[in-house]
Structure formats: C-alpha cells, structure tokens
Amino acid sequence: MIHIIFIFSKLFGDHSGPIDGSIVTTIIAIEYDGGVVLGSDSRVSAGDSVVNRVMNKLSPLHDKIYCALSGSAADAQTIAEIVNYQLDVHSIEIGEDPQVRSAATLVKNISYKYKEELSAHLIVAGWDRRDGGQVFATLKGLLTRQPFAVGGSGSSYVYGFVDAEYRRGMNKQECQQFVVNTLSLAMNRDGSSGGVAYIVTIDKHGTEEKVVLGNQLPTFFDQ
Amino acid sequence: MAVEYDGGVVIGADSRTTTGAYIANRVTDKLTRIHDKIYCCRSGSAADTQAIAEIVAYQLGFHSIELDEPPLVETAANLFRASCYRYREELTAGILVAGWDKRKGGQVYSVPIGGMLVRQPVSVGGSGSTYIYGFMDANYKPGMNKEQCMEITAAALSLAMERDGSSGGVVRLASISEEGVERRVILGNQLPKFSTH
C-alpha cells in the first residue's frame, strides 16, 4: 500500500503539473488515542504559477469526518462534495453520525469506479463512537486503515522523516507538532507545496481548525 | 550521501546495483577512491560514473605529482564537474565528492546530473534521496562530531533503503580526516530499525 502511494507521488512530483488548476500538495493525517489530526499546505499551482496561496485542502465530509485533498483540484473537490451529500443522506437513514469507515468507503467507491478519469487522492480521517480516531488512505481506489498517512507530491521528501519520528501512543499535542514539523519540511523541499499550514484536530468533543502562518512554522538548520 | 564535520567528512552509500528489476550486485561499493583522502559517492548509471571516476582519478593523480603535494578536494570536484558538464547530454551521473585537505579541512561537493557544482555541509543523492530530505533537514545540526555524523548517515540510508526499491543491501560508511580513511560496513540485520506498523 505504501509502495503504491510513493509511486503516485513520484508521478506528480517530477514536472510542473497540468495547467488546469491542480493541487499538487502535501497532506498528512495521523491518529492518536481519542482522535485524529489532519494537516495540509495551502498552495494551488497551475503550471508554474501559484493560483491560490491560501487554499484550505482539509474539507469536511461530516461534523467529525474530514478529508485531505491532493492531486487535481477539480477532481478532489468534486469527490468531496459528492461524498458530503451521500454521507448526509446516509446519516439521516441510519439516524446517527456516520462511521469514518463509511465515509472512506464512499470515497473509495468513486475513486475506484472512475480511476481512469480521475487523478485525485483523498485521505479520509475522523472520529466516531465505535472505533475512535481513524485514518484511511484511498489512493487509486484502494481502502486501507493506517496509523498515519501522507500524500501529495511533497510527501516523497518526508517519508524518511515520518518513518523515523512516528511512535505509537503519541498524545494530541505531540501529534499536532508532528504534523506541523512534517508539513514544514515538505513545504521547504517541494516546489508544489507552500504557503500556510492548516491543521484540523477531531476528537469526541468536536473539531478544531487552526492555521499556522508561514513565519510561525518551525525552521531548520539551513534557514 | 556525505556529511561534513569539523575535521573531516563522513560518506555513506547503499550497495544495490540493478539492471531493471534484477539486482546485479547486492554488495556494490559505491564509495570510490579518487585519491588518498578524496572519495566520491556515485549514483546514476554505473557505467558512466565508473568511467568518469577513473578519468578523474588519473587526472588528479597526475596533477598531484606536478604539484608535489596532496590535491585539494575542490580540484577533484572541479574535474568531475568539467566532465559531467561537457558531456551532460550523454551522461547520467550524480556524484558527491568528499574528502579532507590541509587548506579547508573536510569538504563535500555535489555534482548532480547536468553538471553543476556546489559545496554543501550535507548532501544526499540517488533515487532514494528524495525520501530522506525531510529527515536530514530535521536532524542535521551544524557542529556534529564524527560519531554523530556516522549515526545520522546510517539512519538516513536505512530509511531510504526501506522506502526505495532501487536501494538496499548493506550500508557502507567511510570517514575521511587528517588521520586517514576509516571504512565500515553495517550489515542488513544490524541496521537501525524504524518499522512503523
């Protein structure tokens, strides 16, 4: 699974992208005991231009389920809108909040059915009563639950970092710091990622959205 | 990859050479001696880099005899750059030149594909290098000593070998300083482990 994710990122990372308003980005989601933290950068590039430097790529699918968008902007946003609608209908039918796995399955169904036409990767993460915090990767139509997931072109540069730094049993603050550090490193190296960092934390009490501005991001030895 | 420290450099590489999906050599030595205290780390086409390294070693040896003293690392790096830039259309060679000389101590020069030349305190190259940029940015600090450089090099190479299909085998390390060259091999089962699941 991870193997497939890095090939996909390589496809998008090596050239300056289609000129139709793509998000080629860095996204990350990580679960902790009691919730999840999602993070993304804010750059949308079309060819060599940055067409939006403050885009929030963390899109709500439901109150406590978010998805992180990467790949083609149009494709990703459309999938998120469709799944948002389908989840609303589903949650009325079952009379309670939907499970994260249901949201991820809906995303996966669209990604798989239209895999030749679409080029977007959504990471679905959220909290539900049954299984707590969960992160699902839905690349190219697969569905896999993982402790954390990274995606987008910038993710190639931080695989080593996340492999080395991730530990099981991190708490909420440590996860948020982990996400901010990872995004910062990826944004430094990847030309298609940049701007500010958006962080969303979801737990049983609710959803908290935060923005970390460029000058507040952690810096490293060569800056 | 190659890392400078105060008094020398540490260089490291994996040991896998592939022809397509077949691993032609799983114990390759990609740390090639150019002169007593100047080594290079080769990536890209094995044929191209071996040929260039031989030519540069010859040129440097000749130059050192003319000078009657050990050559400078910068000279070796410039010889690599001259060949890599002149024949840039025909070659696929990414080379890190690292060594110690009396004038500037430990130095690392990067000559990537295309033939530019830049000196950096730490440099990574090859297909697996993309995965460890983030790790190196986060963990390298100026002023590390030799043992710390060895550890961070071994850790970074392990992480890259774990993620990149074209990298693997054993980790070969070498440290170059005024005292000389010290080589080490870390076998697969002794590598630092970063398993996440």
Side-chain angles (χ1 to χ4, degrees):
Chain A
M1 277 70 89
I2 317 292
H3 178 76
I4 300 169
I5 289 171
F6 87 71
I7 288 176
F8 178 84
S9 305
K10 259 184 119 66
L11 284 173
F12 266 75
D14 288 341
H15 51 76
S16 65
I19 318 198
D20 59 354
S22 290
I23 312 171
V24 190
T25 180
T26 310
I27 51 175
I28 176 173
I30 178 171
E31 88 178 52
Y32 64 93
D33 183 23
V36 293
V37 179
L38 292 98
S40 82
D41 73 307
S42 68
R43 180 173 291 183
V44 182
S45 21
D48 290 331
S49 290
V50 176
V51 296
N52 187 345
R53 59 190 168 106
V54 285
M55 164 142 192
N56 191 340
K57 299 167 194 178
L58 305 176
S59 187
L61 297 177
H62 203 80
D63 297 335
K64 297 213 173 81
I65 307 175
Y66 269 62
C67 68
L69 313 174
S70 75
S72 154
D75 290 348
Q77 283 183 333
T78 307
I79 297 175
E81 271 175 35
I82 293 173
V83 172
N84 188 338
Y85 163 77
Q86 289 174 337
L87 263 187
D88 277 346
V89 171
H90 172 68
S91 97
I92 289 171
E93 283 174 349
I94 61 176
E96 59 179 27
D97 283 343
Q99 292 182 38
V100 185
R101 186 171 280 270
S102 312
T105 305
L106 289 169
V107 173
K108 179 265 289 178
N109 287 342
I110 300 175
S111 300
Y112 181 71
K113 185 165 182 190
Y114 299 103
K115 67 187 299 193
E116 306 302 327
E117 291 95 337
L118 296 173
S119 56
H121 171 33
L122 274 65
I123 297 179
V124 180
W127 182 93
D128 63 40
R129 243 191 355 221
R130 180 184 283 205
D131 278 322
Q134 297 147 75
V135 171
F136 290 87
T138 65
L139 179 62
K140 293 239 177 210
L142 65 73
L143 177 64
T144 172
R145 180 175 173 191
Q146 296 173 194
F148 71 90
V150 293
S153 61
S155 66
S156 310
Y157 303 104
V158 292
Y159 272 112
F161 177 77
V162 299
D163 281 346
E165 294 295 315
Y166 173 77
R167 300 169 323 274
R168 264 189 289 262
M170 294 202 280
N171 66 27
K172 180 166 98 161
Q173 270 72 27
E174 288 172 328
C175 283
Q176 287 173 329
Q177 192 57 48
F178 178 81
V179 164
V180 165
N181 286 343
T182 309
L183 286 172
S184 189
L185 288 164
M187 282 155 63
N188 276 338
R189 286 289 181 180
D190 180 30
S192 308
S193 301
V196 304
Y198 288 102
I199 315 281
V200 165
T201 313
I202 308 174
D203 60 19
K204 74 172 187 223
H205 304 295
T207 309
E208 177 201 327
E209 294 194 12
K210 204 166 63 154
V211 182
V212 181
L213 298 181
N215 57 349
Q216 295 161 354
L217 286 168
T219 57
F220 302 95
F221 76 95
D222 55 353
Q223 291 165 282
Chain B
M1 57 182 283
V3 185
E4 282 179 18
Y5 66 91
D6 183 23
V9 293
V10 168
I11 54 176
D14 74 307
S15 70
R16 182 175 288 186
T17 309
T18 52
T19 50
Y22 175 64
I23 299 174
N25 187 348
R26 61 188 170 117
V27 285
T28 325
D29 185 5
K30 301 181 189 177
L31 308 176
T32 306
R33 177 189 176 277
I34 305 297
H35 200 82
D36 292 342
K37 297 213 176 98
I38 306 177
Y39 272 63
C40 73
C41 307
R42 302 180 288 110
S43 70
S45 153
D48 288 348
T49 54
Q50 282 177 358
I52 299 171
E54 267 177 37
I55 291 169
V56 171
Y58 162 76
Q59 292 170 329
L60 202 64
F62 196 83
H63 171 72
S64 160
I65 289 170
E66 289 181 316
L67 234 55
D68 198 22
E69 65 179 36
L72 298 177
V73 187
E74 189 171 358
T75 311
N78 272 292
L79 287 170
F80 270 106
R81 195 248 316 139
S83 295
C84 291
Y85 180 70
R86 177 171 289 239
Y87 300 107
R88 60 184 298 178
E89 304 302 327
E90 289 95 339
L91 294 174
T92 311
I95 296 180
L96 298 177
V97 185
W100 183 93
D101 63 37
K102 217 169 49 182
R103 191 182 292 186
K104 292 189 190 165
Q107 299 146 73
V108 171
Y109 293 89
S110 185
V111 183
I113 294 176
M116 83 157 186
L117 171 65
V118 65
R119 180 182 174 187
Q120 293 176 299
V122 57
S123 193
V124 298
S127 59
S129 68
T130 50
Y131 304 108
I132 50 174
Y133 277 112
F135 176 80
M136 290 309 294
D137 284 345
N139 291 96
Y140 171 76
K141 313 265 181 306
M144 297 201 298
N145 66 25
K146 180 173 93 163
E147 276 314 309
Q148 289 169 321
C149 286
M150 289 276 206
E151 276 166 23
I152 195 178
T153 306
L157 288 168
S158 303
L159 288 164
M161 282 155 61
E162 191 69 23
R163 287 289 183 181
D164 179 32
S166 312
S167 304
V170 303
V171 167
R172 295 198 188 271
L173 294 172
S175 81
I176 310 172
S177 66
E178 186 171 9
E179 284 84 61
V181 177
E182 179 205 319
R183 297 202 62 149
R184 243 183 248 185
V185 181
I186 306 183
L187 299 178
N189 57 349
Q190 298 158 352
L191 286 170
K193 290 194 190 7
F194 296 96
S195 165
T196 46
H197 299 310

